[in-house]
Amino acid sequence: MTANFHRAPALTILAGRRAIQRIREEGLRPEDVHVIPGAAGGPKALGISGLDRAIFGDWLLRAPQQRALIGSSIGSWRFAAVASGDDPGAQLAQLAQLYTSQRFAKGVSAAEVTRKSRIFLDTLLAGREDAILKHPHYRLNILVVRSRGRLAEDARGALTLGLMQAISANMVGRRHLGRFMERAIIHDSRHQTPVDKLVDFPSHAVALTRDNLMPALLASASIPMVMTGVRDIPGAPAGVYRDGGLLDYHLDLPYRQPGIVLYPHFTDRIVPGWFDKALPWRRGDVGRLQDVVLVAPSRAYLAGLPDRKLPDRKDFERYLNDDAGREKAWQVAVAESQRLGDEFLELVDSGRIAEVVQPLGPAR
């Protein structure tokens, strides 16, 4: 008798009400996809690199059309890489390699992290700015926040106090964060932003240009205390700009599109803002995520990775004085992520996605 060994699914597929009905009736086709969000999450992006390469380097290329890419922090960096040339797979692979090879000494200053981040972006994207701005199919949208009050300070004491005040205000209600920050979407001027009118926080729409592309990308990943803020992004209201994930961590936004919002994500949760990570009752608004299809690593898949999780920023502390060990663990996670991409392509090509998709809702 031959034994049959079945590997646990590598992916979890969740979909909003309209999206799940559409998938069960028609499957999921690349021409259905018009908007793609990218969450903040730092090194977690490395853990879905293979999924990104399958989606952008294969599947979407089968049906070229205008698509909006909207991201905060590493999400915006992923999408800038995708839109920076005619080989998105190669650019995504370079992003993973550059991130993995970063090394920081204990007690590194925010100024030094910022300096190295500029080098990272220059290595990945310098000379490719026009390709991003003129891409025939992709329209890049970069989320940043404009700091208010003490959050506009880089002095450690004042910024710490500002963060404590913002965290306390967020505990009372997310809407109170408007006292500390505003949203800005630096967007491709050839098309409107892919979201309906935003009324939750003061928000600014700013045209993406050659002058503000790199500053916006740097600002979008500028975590307070870890990196310095970016002052006066060209074309945007004057001020200090920081990580877009502070307000839009997992991009719980009112998307505007004619079809599907395909969301390659790190987790099966949608957490509205960075300060909501420790608040389990804060979840994405199911009512405005009805067209979202969320594709994430399954819990069984994560259990098979080094440290039983995706790479994350805490690994710099976990592997302190062992950069080679951290790099090896991250390289394994990147290599394993090809399974995510292979499984996604199999599910959509075979139509089996209709069998495995589950409702996207607050109960999970």
Side-chain angles (χ1 to χ4, degrees), residues 72-87:
S72 60
S73 196
I74 192 64
S76 69
W77 290 26
R78 287 161 58 205
F79 293 160
V82 164
S84 66
D86 57 6
D87 190 348

Side-chain angles (χ1 to χ4, degrees), residues 139-349:
R139 306 291 183 262
L140 181 62
N141 298 259
I142 304 168
L143 286 159
V144 298
V145 298
R146 180 173 178 257
S147 306
R148 301 181 66 179
R150 288 188 173 92
L151 284 189
E153 303 285 343
D154 273 321
R156 197 169 188 84
L159 181 55
T160 298
L161 182 56
L163 287 169
M164 292 173 62
Q165 292 172 335
I167 291 168
S168 298
N170 186 65
M171 287 287 293
V172 176
R174 179 166 153 78
R175 68 184 184 279
H176 296 296
L177 285 176
R179 291 160 40 200
F180 303 94
M181 58 191 82
E182 303 169 354
R183 175 191 290 116
I185 305 179
I186 318 296
H187 69 99
D188 192 310
S189 61
R190 294 173 295 176
H191 197 264
Q192 60 189 350
T193 63
V195 293
D196 286 327
K197 184 177 180 180
L198 297 165
V199 296
D200 52 350
F201 300 104
S203 299
H204 311 277
V206 178
L208 183 66
T209 67
R210 211 176 195 285
D211 290 336
N212 65 24
L213 171 61
M214 297 296 244
L217 288 169
L218 184 66
S220 189
S222 294
I223 303 170
M225 310 293 286
V226 176
M227 294 171 61
T228 57
V230 175
R231 185 171 295 277
D232 299 339
I233 293 176
V240 174
Y241 288 84
R242 300 191 187 275
D243 196 315
L246 293 172
L247 279 182
D248 298 305
Y249 188 52
H250 289 173
L251 284 77
D252 176 25
L253 297 169
Y255 296 105
R256 173 176 54 204
Q257 84 297 323
I260 291 293
V261 177
L262 180 65
Y263 193 170
H265 195 18
F266 320 127
T267 176
D268 58 6
R269 295 174 55 198
I270 292 182
V271 179
W274 194 52
F275 300 118
D276 298 322
K277 291 188 291 182
L279 307 179
W281 58 90
R282 293 275 174 89
R283 289 290 186 274
D285 184 340
V286 176
R288 64 187 187 187
L289 299 174
Q290 295 187 58
D291 297 304
V292 169
V293 177
L294 186 149
V295 184
S298 70
R299 295 175 188 183
Y301 172 84
L302 295 176
L305 294 180
D307 304 312
R308 302 175 64 85
K309 64 173 188 59
L310 298 180
D312 61 43
R313 284 196 305 114
K314 292 181 180 178
D315 288 342
F316 286 108
E317 300 174 13
R318 183 177 291 109
Y319 288 91
L320 189 63
N321 300 321
D322 184 16
D323 284 311
R326 175 188 55 78
E327 291 176 7
K328 182 178 179 181
W330 286 14
Q331 288 164 356
V332 170
V334 171
E336 282 294 306
S337 71
Q338 183 174 336
R339 280 182 56 203
L340 303 176
D342 291 344
E343 186 167 307
F344 175 79
L345 292 176
E346 190 278 326
L347 288 172
V348 292
D349 289 345

